[in-house]
Coordinates of all heavy atoms in Angstrom, one line a residue:
M63 N 20.4 -193.8 -139.0 CA 19.7 -192.8 -138.2 C 20.5 -192.6 -136.9 O 20.7 -193.6 -136.2 CB 18.3 -193.2 -137.9 CG 17.5 -192.3 -137.0 SD 15.8 -192.8 -137.0 CE 15.4 -192.4 -135.3
A64 N 20.9 -191.4 -136.6 CA 21.7 -191.1 -135.4 C 20.7 -191.1 -134.2 O 20.0 -190.1 -134.1 CB 22.4 -189.8 -135.5
C65 N 20.8 -192.1 -133.4 CA 19.9 -192.2 -132.3 C 20.6 -192.0 -131.0 O 21.9 -192.2 -131.0 CB 19.1 -193.5 -132.3 SG 17.6 -193.5 -131.4
N66 N 19.9 -191.8 -130.0 CA 20.6 -191.6 -128.7 C 20.8 -192.9 -127.9 O 21.0 -193.0 -126.8 CB 19.8 -190.6 -127.8 CG 20.0 -189.2 -128.3 OD1 21.0 -188.8 -128.8 ND2 18.9 -188.4 -128.1
G67 N 20.5 -194.0 -128.6 CA 20.6 -195.3 -127.9 C 19.4 -196.1 -128.1 O 18.6 -195.8 -129.0
E68 N 19.2 -197.0 -127.2 CA 18.0 -197.8 -127.3 C 17.1 -197.6 -126.1 O 17.6 -197.2 -125.0 CB 18.4 -199.3 -127.4 CG 19.3 -199.6 -128.6 CD 19.4 -201.1 -128.9 OE1 19.0 -201.8 -128.0 OE2 20.0 -201.4 -129.9
V69 N 15.9 -198.0 -126.2 CA 14.9 -197.8 -125.1 C 15.2 -199.0 -124.1 O 15.2 -200.1 -124.4 CB 13.5 -197.9 -125.6 CG1 12.5 -197.9 -124.5 CG2 13.2 -196.8 -126.6
V70 N 15.5 -198.5 -122.9 CA 15.7 -199.5 -121.8 C 14.4 -199.9 -121.2 O 14.1 -201.1 -121.1 CB 16.6 -198.9 -120.7 CG1 16.8 -199.9 -119.6 CG2 17.9 -198.5 -121.3
M71 N 13.5 -198.9 -121.0 CA 12.2 -199.2 -120.5 C 11.3 -198.0 -120.7 O 11.7 -196.9 -120.9 CB 12.2 -199.6 -119.0 CG 12.7 -198.5 -118.1 SD 12.9 -199.0 -116.3 CE 11.2 -199.2 -115.9
V72 N 10.0 -198.3 -120.6 CA 9.0 -197.2 -120.7 C 8.6 -196.9 -119.3 O 8.2 -197.7 -118.5 CB 7.8 -197.7 -121.6 CG1 6.7 -196.6 -121.6 CG2 8.2 -198.0 -123.0
L73 N 8.7 -195.6 -119.0 CA 8.4 -195.1 -117.7 C 6.9 -194.6 -117.6 O 6.3 -194.2 -118.6 CB 9.3 -193.9 -117.3 CG 10.8 -194.2 -117.4 CD1 11.6 -192.9 -117.3 CD2 11.2 -195.2 -116.4
E74 N 6.4 -194.6 -116.4 CA 5.1 -193.9 -116.2 C 5.4 -192.4 -116.0 O 6.4 -192.0 -115.5 CB 4.5 -194.5 -114.9 CG 4.2 -195.9 -114.9 CD 2.7 -196.1 -114.9 OE1 2.0 -195.2 -114.5 OE2 2.2 -197.2 -115.2
T75 N 4.5 -191.7 -116.5 CA 4.6 -190.2 -116.3 C 3.3 -189.7 -115.8 O 2.2 -190.1 -116.2 CB 5.0 -189.5 -117.6 OG1 5.1 -188.1 -117.3 CG2 4.1 -189.8 -118.7
K76 N 3.4 -188.7 -114.9 CA 2.2 -188.1 -114.3 C 2.1 -186.7 -115.0 O 1.3 -185.9 -114.5 CB 2.3 -187.9 -112.8 CG 2.3 -189.2 -112.1 CD 0.8 -189.7 -112.0 CE 0.7 -190.8 -110.9 NZ 1.3 -192.1 -111.3
R77 N 2.8 -186.5 -116.0 CA 2.8 -185.2 -116.7 C 1.5 -185.1 -117.5 O 0.8 -186.0 -117.7 CB 4.0 -185.0 -117.5 CG 5.2 -184.8 -116.7 CD 6.5 -185.0 -117.5 NE 6.7 -183.9 -118.5 CZ 7.8 -183.8 -119.2 NH1 8.8 -184.7 -119.1 NH2 7.9 -182.9 -120.1
N78 N 1.2 -183.8 -117.9 CA 0.0 -183.5 -118.6 C -0.6 -184.6 -119.5 O -0.1 -184.9 -120.6 CB 0.3 -182.3 -119.5 CG -1.0 -181.7 -120.1 OD1 -2.0 -182.4 -120.1 ND2 -0.9 -180.5 -120.5
P79 N -1.6 -185.3 -119.0 CA -2.2 -186.4 -119.7 C -2.7 -186.1 -121.1 O -2.8 -186.9 -122.0 CB -3.3 -186.9 -118.8 CG -3.6 -185.8 -117.9 CD -2.4 -185.0 -117.8
Q80 N -3.2 -184.8 -121.3 CA -3.6 -184.4 -122.6 C -2.5 -184.6 -123.6 O -2.8 -184.9 -124.8 CB -4.1 -182.9 -122.5 CG -5.3 -182.7 -121.7 CD -6.6 -183.0 -122.5 OE1 -6.5 -183.5 -123.6 NE2 -7.7 -182.9 -121.9
V81 N -1.3 -184.3 -123.2 CA -0.2 -184.4 -124.1 C 0.3 -185.8 -124.1 O 0.6 -186.4 -125.2 CB 0.9 -183.4 -123.7 CG1 2.2 -183.6 -124.5 CG2 0.4 -182.0 -123.8
W82 N 0.5 -186.4 -122.9 CA 1.2 -187.6 -122.8 C 0.4 -188.8 -123.2 O 1.0 -189.9 -123.2 CB 1.8 -187.7 -121.4 CG 3.1 -186.9 -121.3 CD1 3.1 -185.5 -121.0 CD2 4.4 -187.2 -121.7 NE1 4.4 -185.1 -121.1 CE2 5.2 -186.1 -121.5 CE3 5.0 -188.4 -122.1 CZ2 6.6 -186.1 -121.8 CZ3 6.3 -188.5 -122.4 CH2 7.1 -187.3 -122.2
K83 N -0.9 -188.7 -123.4 CA -1.6 -189.8 -123.9 C -1.1 -190.3 -125.3 O -1.4 -191.4 -125.7 CB -3.1 -189.6 -123.9 CG -3.6 -188.5 -124.9 CD -5.0 -188.3 -124.8 CE -5.5 -187.2 -125.7 NZ -6.9 -186.9 -125.6
H84 N -0.5 -189.3 -126.0 CA 0.0 -189.7 -127.3 C 1.5 -190.1 -127.3 O 2.1 -190.4 -128.3 CB -0.1 -188.4 -128.2 CG -1.5 -188.1 -128.4 ND1 -2.4 -188.9 -129.0 CD2 -2.2 -186.9 -128.2 CE1 -3.6 -188.3 -129.1 NE2 -3.5 -187.1 -128.6
F85 N 2.1 -190.1 -126.1 CA 3.6 -190.3 -126.0 C 3.9 -191.4 -124.9 O 3.2 -191.5 -123.9 CB 4.3 -189.1 -125.7 CG 4.3 -188.0 -126.8 CD1 3.3 -187.1 -126.9 CD2 5.3 -188.1 -127.8 CE1 3.3 -186.1 -127.9 CE2 5.2 -187.1 -128.9 CZ 4.2 -186.2 -128.9
D86 N 4.9 -192.1 -125.2 CA 5.5 -192.9 -124.1 C 6.8 -192.2 -123.6 O 7.6 -191.7 -124.4 CB 6.0 -194.3 -124.6 CG 4.8 -195.2 -124.9 OD1 3.8 -195.1 -124.1 OD2 4.8 -195.9 -125.9
L87 N 7.0 -192.2 -122.3 CA 8.2 -191.6 -121.7 C 9.2 -192.8 -121.7 O 9.0 -193.8 -120.9 CB 7.9 -191.0 -120.4 CG 9.2 -190.4 -119.7 CD1 9.7 -189.2 -120.5 CD2 8.8 -189.9 -118.3
C88 N 10.2 -192.7 -122.4 CA 11.2 -193.8 -122.6 C 12.5 -193.5 -121.9 O 13.0 -192.4 -122.1 CB 11.4 -194.1 -124.0 SG 10.0 -194.7 -124.9
L89 N 13.0 -194.5 -121.1 CA 14.3 -194.3 -120.6 C 15.3 -195.0 -121.6 O 15.1 -196.1 -121.9 CB 14.4 -195.0 -119.2 CG 15.8 -195.0 -118.6 CD1 16.2 -193.6 -118.2 CD2 15.8 -195.8 -117.3
M90 N 16.3 -194.2 -122.0 CA 17.2 -194.7 -123.0 C 18.4 -195.3 -122.4 O 18.7 -195.0 -121.2 CB 17.6 -193.5 -124.0 CG 16.4 -192.7 -124.5 SD 15.2 -193.7 -125.4 CE 16.1 -194.0 -126.9
S91 N 19.2 -196.0 -123.2 CA 20.3 -196.7 -122.7 C 21.4 -195.7 -122.2 O 22.3 -196.1 -121.4 CB 20.9 -197.7 -123.7 OG 21.2 -196.9 -124.9
D92 N 21.4 -194.5 -122.7 CA 22.3 -193.5 -122.2 C 21.8 -192.7 -121.0 O 22.3 -191.6 -120.7 CB 22.8 -192.6 -123.3 CG 21.6 -191.8 -123.9 OD1 20.5 -191.9 -123.4 OD2 21.9 -191.0 -124.8
S93 N 20.7 -193.2 -120.4 CA 20.0 -192.7 -119.2 C 19.3 -191.3 -119.5 O 18.9 -190.7 -118.6 CB 21.0 -192.5 -118.0 OG 21.8 -191.4 -118.2
H94 N 19.2 -191.0 -120.7 CA 18.3 -189.8 -121.1 C 16.8 -190.3 -121.1 O 16.6 -191.5 -121.4 CB 18.6 -189.3 -122.4 CG 19.8 -188.3 -122.4 ND1 21.1 -188.6 -122.4 CD2 19.7 -186.9 -122.3 CE1 21.8 -187.5 -122.3 NE2 21.1 -186.5 -122.2
E95 N 15.9 -189.4 -120.9 CA 14.5 -189.7 -121.1 C 14.1 -189.1 -122.4 O 14.3 -187.9 -122.7 CB 13.7 -189.2 -119.9 CG 14.0 -190.0 -118.7 CD 13.2 -189.4 -117.5 OE1 12.4 -188.4 -117.6 OE2 13.3 -190.0 -116.4
M96 N 13.4 -189.8 -123.2 CA 12.9 -189.4 -124.5 C 11.4 -189.6 -124.5 O 10.9 -190.6 -124.0 CB 13.6 -190.0 -125.6 CG 15.1 -189.8 -125.7 SD 15.5 -188.1 -126.3 CE 15.2 -188.3 -128.0
A97 N 10.7 -188.7 -125.2 CA 9.3 -189.0 -125.5 C 9.1 -189.7 -126.9 O 9.7 -189.2 -127.8 CB 8.5 -187.7 -125.5
R98 N 8.4 -190.7 -126.9 CA 8.2 -191.5 -128.1 C 6.7 -191.4 -128.5 O 5.8 -191.7 -127.8 CB 8.6 -192.9 -128.0 CG 8.4 -193.7 -129.3 CD 8.9 -195.1 -129.2 NE 8.1 -195.8 -128.1 CZ 8.4 -197.0 -127.7 NH1 9.4 -197.7 -128.2 NH2 7.7 -197.6 -126.7
C99 N 6.5 -190.8 -129.7 CA 5.1 -190.7 -130.2 C 4.5 -192.1 -130.4 O 5.1 -192.9 -131.1 CB 5.1 -189.9 -131.5 SG 3.5 -189.7 -132.2
K100 N 3.3 -192.3 -129.8 CA 2.7 -193.6 -130.0 C 2.1 -193.7 -131.4 O 1.8 -194.8 -131.9 CB 1.5 -193.7 -129.0 CG 2.0 -193.8 -127.6 CD 0.8 -193.9 -126.6 CE 1.2 -194.0 -125.2 NZ 0.1 -194.1 -124.3
G101 N 1.9 -192.5 -132.1 CA 1.4 -192.6 -133.4 C 2.4 -193.0 -134.5 O 2.2 -194.0 -135.2
C102 N 3.5 -192.2 -134.5 CA 4.4 -192.5 -135.6 C 5.8 -193.0 -135.1 O 6.6 -193.4 -135.9 CB 4.7 -191.2 -136.4 SG 5.5 -189.9 -135.4
G103 N 5.9 -193.1 -133.8 CA 7.2 -193.7 -133.3 C 8.3 -192.8 -133.2 O 9.5 -193.2 -132.9
K104 N 8.1 -191.5 -133.5 CA 9.2 -190.6 -133.5 C 9.7 -190.2 -132.1 O 8.8 -190.1 -131.2 CB 8.8 -189.3 -134.3 CG 9.9 -188.3 -134.4 CD 9.4 -187.1 -135.2 CE 10.6 -186.1 -135.3 NZ 10.2 -184.9 -136.2
F105 N 11.0 -190.1 -131.9 CA 11.5 -189.7 -130.6 C 11.7 -188.2 -130.6 O 12.2 -187.6 -131.5 CB 12.8 -190.4 -130.4 CG 12.7 -191.8 -130.0 CD1 12.7 -192.8 -130.9 CD2 12.4 -192.2 -128.6 CE1 12.5 -194.2 -130.5 CE2 12.3 -193.5 -128.3 CZ 12.3 -194.5 -129.2
M106 N 11.4 -187.6 -129.4 CA 11.6 -186.2 -129.2 C 12.1 -186.0 -127.8 O 11.9 -186.8 -126.9 CB 10.3 -185.4 -129.4 CG 10.1 -185.0 -130.9 SD 8.4 -184.7 -131.2 CE 7.7 -186.3 -131.0
K107 N 12.7 -184.8 -127.5 CA 13.1 -184.5 -126.2 C 11.8 -184.4 -125.3 O 10.8 -183.9 -125.7 CB 13.8 -183.1 -126.2 CG 15.2 -183.2 -126.7 CD 15.8 -181.8 -126.6 CE 17.2 -181.8 -127.3 NZ 17.8 -180.5 -127.4
A108 N 11.9 -185.0 -124.1 CA 10.8 -185.0 -123.2 C 10.7 -183.8 -122.3 O 9.9 -183.8 -121.4 CB 10.9 -186.3 -122.4
T109 N 11.5 -182.8 -122.6 CA 11.5 -181.7 -121.7 C 10.4 -180.7 -121.8 O 9.9 -180.2 -120.8 CB 12.8 -180.9 -121.9 OG1 13.0 -180.7 -123.3 CG2 14.0 -181.7 -121.3
T110 N 9.9 -180.5 -123.0 CA 8.9 -179.5 -123.1 C 7.6 -180.0 -123.7 O 7.6 -180.6 -124.8 CB 9.3 -178.3 -124.0 OG1 9.9 -178.9 -125.2 CG2 10.3 -177.4 -123.3
N111 N 6.5 -179.9 -122.9 CA 5.2 -180.4 -123.4 C 4.7 -179.7 -124.6 O 4.1 -180.3 -125.5 CB 4.2 -180.2 -122.3 CG 4.3 -181.2 -121.2 OD1 5.0 -182.2 -121.3 ND2 3.5 -181.1 -120.1
S112 N 5.1 -178.4 -124.8 CA 4.6 -177.7 -125.9 C 5.1 -178.2 -127.2 O 4.4 -178.2 -128.2 CB 4.9 -176.2 -125.7 OG 6.3 -176.0 -125.7
T113 N 6.4 -178.7 -127.2 CA 6.9 -179.2 -128.4 C 6.2 -180.5 -128.8 O 5.9 -180.8 -129.9 CB 8.4 -179.6 -128.2 OG1 9.1 -178.4 -127.8 CG2 9.1 -180.1 -129.4
L114 N 5.9 -181.3 -127.7 CA 5.2 -182.6 -128.0 C 3.8 -182.3 -128.5 O 3.3 -183.0 -129.4 CB 5.2 -183.4 -126.7 CG 6.5 -183.7 -126.0 CD1 6.3 -184.4 -124.7 CD2 7.4 -184.5 -127.0
K115 N 3.2 -181.3 -127.9 CA 1.8 -181.0 -128.3 C 1.7 -180.5 -129.7 O 0.8 -180.9 -130.5 CB 1.2 -180.0 -127.3 CG -0.3 -179.8 -127.5 CD -0.9 -178.9 -126.4 CE -2.4 -179.0 -126.5 NZ -2.9 -178.7 -127.8
K116 N 2.7 -179.8 -130.1 CA 2.8 -179.3 -131.4 C 3.0 -180.4 -132.4 O 2.4 -180.4 -133.5 CB 4.0 -178.3 -131.6 CG 3.9 -177.4 -132.8 CD 5.1 -176.5 -132.9 CE 5.0 -175.3 -131.9 NZ 6.2 -174.4 -132.0
H117 N 3.7 -181.4 -132.0 CA 3.9 -182.5 -132.9 C 2.6 -183.3 -133.1 O 2.2 -183.6 -134.2 CB 4.9 -183.5 -132.3 CG 5.0 -184.8 -133.0 ND1 5.8 -184.9 -134.2 CD2 4.4 -186.0 -132.8 CE1 5.6 -186.2 -134.6 NE2 4.8 -186.9 -133.8
T118 N 1.9 -183.4 -132.0 CA 0.6 -184.1 -132.0 C -0.4 -183.4 -132.9 O -1.1 -184.0 -133.7 CB 0.0 -184.3 -130.6 OG1 1.0 -185.0 -129.8 CG2 -1.3 -185.0 -130.6
D119 N -0.5 -182.1 -132.7 CA -1.5 -181.3 -133.3 C -1.2 -181.0 -134.8 O -2.1 -180.9 -135.6 CB -1.7 -179.9 -132.6 CG -2.3 -180.1 -131.3 OD1 -2.8 -181.2 -131.0 OD2 -2.3 -179.2 -130.5
R120 N 0.1 -180.8 -135.1 CA 0.4 -180.3 -136.4 C 1.3 -181.2 -137.3 O 1.2 -181.2 -138.5 CB 1.2 -178.9 -136.3 CG 0.3 -177.9 -135.5 CD 1.0 -176.6 -135.6 NE 0.3 -175.6 -134.8 CZ 0.7 -174.3 -134.7 NH1 1.7 -173.9 -135.4 NH2 0.0 -173.5 -133.9
H121 N 2.2 -181.9 -136.7 CA 3.2 -182.6 -137.5 C 3.0 -184.1 -137.6 O 3.4 -184.7 -138.6 CB 4.6 -182.3 -136.9 CG 4.9 -180.8 -136.9 ND1 5.1 -180.1 -138.0 CD2 5.1 -179.9 -135.9 CE1 5.4 -178.8 -137.7 NE2 5.4 -178.7 -136.4
C122 N 2.5 -184.7 -136.6 CA 2.4 -186.1 -136.6 C 1.3 -186.6 -137.7 O 0.2 -186.1 -137.6 CB 2.0 -186.7 -135.3 SG 2.0 -188.5 -135.3
P123 N 1.7 -187.4 -138.6 CA 0.7 -187.9 -139.6 C -0.4 -188.7 -139.0 O -1.5 -188.9 -139.6 CB 1.6 -188.6 -140.6 CG 2.8 -189.0 -139.8 CD 3.0 -188.0 -138.8
V124 N -0.1 -189.3 -137.9 CA -1.1 -190.3 -137.3 C -2.0 -189.6 -136.3 O -3.2 -189.5 -136.5 CB -0.3 -191.4 -136.6 CG1 -1.3 -192.4 -135.9 CG2 0.6 -192.1 -137.5
T125 N -1.4 -188.9 -135.3 CA -2.3 -188.3 -134.2 C -3.0 -187.1 -134.7 O -4.0 -186.7 -134.3 CB -1.4 -188.0 -133.0 OG1 -0.4 -187.1 -133.4 CG2 -0.9 -189.2 -132.3
K126 N -2.4 -186.4 -135.7 CA -3.0 -185.2 -136.3 C -4.3 -185.6 -136.9 O -5.3 -184.9 -136.7 CB -2.1 -184.6 -137.3 CG -2.6 -183.3 -137.9 CD -1.5 -182.6 -138.8 CE -1.4 -183.4 -140.1 NZ -0.5 -182.7 -141.0
A127 N -4.3 -186.6 -137.7 CA -5.5 -187.1 -138.4 C -6.5 -187.6 -137.4 O -7.7 -187.3 -137.5 CB -5.1 -188.2 -139.3
A128 N -6.1 -188.3 -136.3 CA -7.0 -188.8 -135.3 C -7.7 -187.6 -134.6 O -8.9 -187.7 -134.3 CB -6.2 -189.7 -134.3
A129 N -6.9 -186.6 -134.2 CA -7.4 -185.5 -133.5 C -8.5 -184.7 -134.3 O -9.5 -184.3 -133.9 CB -6.3 -184.5 -133.1
K130 N -8.2 -184.6 -135.6 CA -9.1 -183.9 -136.5 C -10.4 -184.7 -136.6 O -11.5 -184.1 -136.6 CB -8.4 -183.8 -137.9 CG -9.0 -182.7 -138.8 CD -8.1 -182.5 -140.0 CE -8.5 -181.3 -140.8 NZ -7.6 -181.1 -142.0
K131 N -10.3 -186.0 -136.7 CA -11.4 -186.8 -136.8 C -12.4 -186.7 -135.6 O -13.6 -186.5 -135.8 CB -11.0 -188.3 -136.9 CG -12.0 -189.2 -137.6 CD -11.3 -190.6 -137.8 CE -12.3 -191.6 -138.3 NZ -11.6 -192.9 -138.4
S132 N -11.8 -186.8 -134.4 CA -12.6 -186.7 -133.2 C -13.1 -185.3 -132.9 O -14.1 -185.1 -132.3 CB -11.8 -187.2 -132.0 OG -10.7 -186.3 -131.7
E133 N -12.4 -184.3 -133.5 CA -12.8 -183.0 -133.3 C -14.1 -182.6 -134.0 O -15.1 -182.1 -133.5 CB -11.7 -182.0 -133.8 CG -11.9 -180.6 -133.3 CD -10.7 -179.8 -133.8 OE1 -10.8 -179.3 -134.9 OE2 -9.7 -179.7 -133.1
G134 N -14.2 -183.0 -135.3 CA -15.3 -182.5 -136.1 C -16.4 -183.6 -136.3 O -17.5 -183.2 -136.5
G135 N -16.1 -184.8 -136.2 CA -17.0 -185.8 -136.6 C -17.7 -186.5 -135.4 O -17.9 -187.7 -135.4
E136 N -18.1 -185.7 -134.4 CA -18.7 -186.3 -133.3 C -20.2 -186.2 -133.4 O -20.9 -185.3 -132.8 CB -18.2 -185.6 -132.0 CG -18.1 -186.7 -130.9 CD -17.4 -186.1 -129.6 OE1 -16.2 -185.8 -129.7 OE2 -18.1 -185.8 -128.7
S137 N -20.8 -187.0 -134.2 CA -22.3 -186.9 -134.4 C -22.9 -188.2 -133.9 O -23.1 -189.2 -134.6 CB -22.6 -186.8 -135.9 OG -22.0 -187.8 -136.6
S138 N -23.2 -188.2 -132.6 CA -23.8 -189.3 -132.0 C -25.3 -189.0 -131.8 O -25.7 -188.0 -131.1 CB -23.2 -189.7 -130.6 OG -23.2 -188.5 -129.8
G139 N -26.2 -189.8 -132.4 CA -27.6 -189.5 -132.3 C -28.0 -188.5 -133.4 O -27.1 -187.8 -133.9
T140 N -29.2 -188.4 -133.7 CA -29.7 -187.5 -134.7 C -30.6 -186.4 -134.1 O -31.7 -186.8 -133.6 CB -30.4 -188.3 -135.8 OG1 -31.3 -189.2 -135.3 CG2 -29.4 -189.0 -136.7
G141 N -30.2 -185.2 -134.2 CA -31.1 -184.1 -133.9 C -31.4 -184.0 -132.4 O -32.5 -183.5 -132.1
S142 N -30.5 -184.4 -131.5 CA -30.8 -184.2 -130.1 C -30.0 -183.0 -129.6 O -28.8 -183.1 -129.4 CB -30.4 -185.5 -129.3 OG -29.0 -185.8 -129.6
S143 N -30.7 -181.9 -129.5 CA -30.0 -180.7 -129.1 C -30.4 -180.3 -127.7 O -31.5 -179.8 -127.5 CB -30.3 -179.6 -130.1 OG -31.7 -179.5 -130.2
K144 N -29.4 -180.5 -126.8 CA -29.6 -180.0 -125.5 C -29.0 -178.6 -125.3 O -27.9 -178.4 -125.8 CB -28.9 -180.9 -124.5 CG -29.6 -182.3 -124.4 CD -28.8 -183.2 -123.4 CE -29.3 -184.6 -123.5 NZ -28.4 -185.5 -122.8
V145 N -29.7 -177.7 -124.7 CA -29.2 -176.4 -124.4 C -29.0 -176.1 -123.0 O -29.9 -176.4 -122.2 CB -30.1 -175.3 -125.1 CG1 -29.5 -173.9 -124.8 CG2 -30.3 -175.6 -126.5
Ligands
ZN53 ZN1 3.9 -188.7 -134.2

């Protein structure tokens, strides 16, 4: 697998937490920053949030399933309808 190097360290990011909760921002040995999916471990360019979000929503076998699950199956309690 042609990789850009190895992860030197995982950085903190203050970028969109909705997107980045599924990714680690990794500093690579060639001093590039890459986003690593926490679900499947895939590396992607960290430049565009939309690309990452698309991976989470549509392509990632792990986070896609998790998102779907939390989206539809939120049934806490029985018949408590607040309006
Ligand atoms: Zn993934």
Side-chain angles (χ1 to χ4, degrees):
M63 176 169 147
C65 199
N66 287 327
E68 298 193 354
V69 177
V70 178
M71 62 183 292
V72 176
L73 304 170
E74 296 247 346
T75 179
K76 292 283 196 286
R77 291 164 67 174
N78 191 341
Q80 291 282 0
V81 174
W82 282 89
K83 67 183 178 183
H84 296 299
F85 292 90
D86 288 323
L87 182 61
C88 296
L89 180 65
M90 310 304 287
S91 57
D92 62 358
S93 77
H94 276 86
E95 289 177 1
M96 297 286 282
R98 181 177 60 187
C99 178
K100 291 180 182 177
C102 66
K104 184 175 178 176
F105 283 94
M106 275 160 290
K107 286 181 184 172
T109 46
T110 47
N111 282 352
S112 61
T113 303
L114 304 177
K115 192 171 189 308
K116 197 181 285 182
H117 173 81
T118 302
D119 290 347
R120 299 188 187 184
H121 298 296
C122 183
V124 181
T125 57
K126 185 174 72 173
K130 203 171 189 180
K131 201 174 176 185
S132 64
E133 193 177 89
E136 216 171 289
S137 56
S138 54
T140 45
S142 57
S143 54
K144 291 178 193 169
V145 181

